[in-house]
Amino acid sequence: VQLQAYGGGLVQPGGSLSLSCAASGSIFSIIDMGWYRQAPGKQRELVASITNGGSTNYADSVKGRFTISRNNAKNTIYLQMNSLTVEDTAVYYCNADLIQARPLRRGEYWGQGTQVTVSS
């Protein structure tokens, strides 16, 4: 199982960026996927998550600015980030709680990080 993240980059404060993450491999079912971020000197924190049924959860700091969505057929999640601030600068990591098909087992998987830098 692999998680491949796309997107990120450099944007000015107030701007927008989008991220996507695709899960591939021997997947039986995806329970939950989400985005975490880690800024320099800080712990990794949850940004947003979405269940297979579409229920979402957001960090208070991003509510109203970020939107997570999901395409179950493509095992892909998206994060639309608007009104970005310098405090959003971090490495963003994709995460999935899923059931691998062969062998059948549940596990947590991480994608490679993608840098988001908000700077003027």
Side-chain angles (χ1 to χ4, degrees), residues 72-115:
N72 289 340
K74 295 183 178 181
N75 290 337
T76 299
I77 60 169
Y78 308 91
L79 185 68
Q80 178 64 41
M81 304 182 290
N82 298 326
S83 302
L84 286 159
T85 72
V86 294
E87 287 74 30
D88 296 315
T89 296
V91 177
Y92 285 67
Y93 296 90
C94 177
N95 171 273
D97 177 7
L98 59 83
I99 300 174
Q100 179 179 312
R102 292 179 296 274
L104 193 66
R105 66 183 177 195
R106 183 173 179 175
E108 183 178 34
Y109 296 84
W110 293 90
Q112 87 284 9
T114 184
Q115 178 71 44

Side-chain angles (χ1 to χ4, degrees), residues 24-40:
S24 62
S26 180
I27 299 170
F28 178 76
S29 176
I30 297 178
I31 298 165
D32 181 276
M33 290 185 73
W35 292 96
Y36 287 71
R37 67 186 181 186
Q38 187 166 20

